[in-house]
Every structure is written in structure tokens, then in C-alpha cells.
Amino acid sequence: MGNLPILLLLTLVLTAPCCCEGDTNRPMDEGIKINKKIANTFVRRQKRSYPYYERYYEMFKSPTEMKQEQCENYAPCDYYSEIIGFQAAYDLIFGRT
């Protein structure tokens, strides 16, 4: 009875290298290669919005962005924004508006 586990373990040790050998001759940096048509079915580019909307957003800044620029230009607010965050620093220095 004691020889059976030893025999199974010995069989497992001897067969493991044969089963796990695999394809070791293949280079590792080869990668997966597919053609462009198949790749484009998986990856779709986001369509651009209309040009006049893009020009609108370039001309006008959001209120948050204007507040952030105001805080960056004032040294104490810029310093506190790095410590406690932008919104809290803006409220502390300029008050809630």
C-alpha cells in the first residue's frame, strides 16, 4: 500500500517534462498579426464633432476653467490648491461665489 503513492509520484515526475515541453522554438517577440480590415472591425475611431462646436469651445472657457486660471495666477491660492485641492482653495481665498 505504501508503494502506490510513491509509484504515482514517480510517474507524475517523469511524465511532466514531456507534457509541459510545448513549443519552445517559437520566438517570444513575434506577437499576433492580423490584417487591417479585421483590425478595423474591432477598433472604431470616434467621429469628430461639427467644426463650429469646436470653435465655440475654443473661444469660450467654462466657469470652472476660468476660476482655476484665476487661482493659478494668485500664489497663495496655487499653493493651497496643491495641498487641499482646487475648489477648497478657491473657496478659502476668494470666498464662495
Side-chain angles (χ1 to χ4, degrees):
M1 227 24 184
N3 293 337
L4 184 62
I6 295 173
L7 183 63
L8 289 174
L9 185 63
L10 183 64
T11 307
L12 180 65
V13 169
L14 292 175
T15 57
C18 297
C19 297
C20 299
E21 185 177 308
D23 189 12
T24 58
N25 297 332
R26 196 176 83 193
M28 298 304 277
D29 60 342
E30 193 173 297
I32 300 171
K33 296 179 182 175
I34 56 176
N35 63 13
K36 287 184 179 180
K37 288 183 180 180
I38 295 173
N40 286 335
T41 59
F42 293 110
V43 180
R44 299 211 184 264
R45 285 182 37 187
Q46 189 177 16
K47 292 185 178 180
R48 296 181 134 234
S49 62
Y50 295 114
Y52 49 88
Y53 287 126
E54 289 178 5
R55 279 184 270 148
Y56 171 77
Y57 287 121
E58 288 176 3
M59 290 172 35
F60 299 103
K61 296 179 181 176
S62 68
T64 307
E65 188 176 358
M66 291 185 340
K67 286 181 180 180
Q68 192 166 7
E69 286 181 359
Q70 183 181 4
C71 187
E72 287 174 355
N73 291 335
Y74 188 59
C77 185
D78 190 33
Y79 173 74
Y80 285 129
S81 69
E82 292 177 4
I83 298 171
I84 59 174
F86 156 70
Q87 192 63 45
Y90 186 86
D91 292 343
L92 179 71
I93 301 292
F94 298 109
R96 208 173 258 278
T97 56

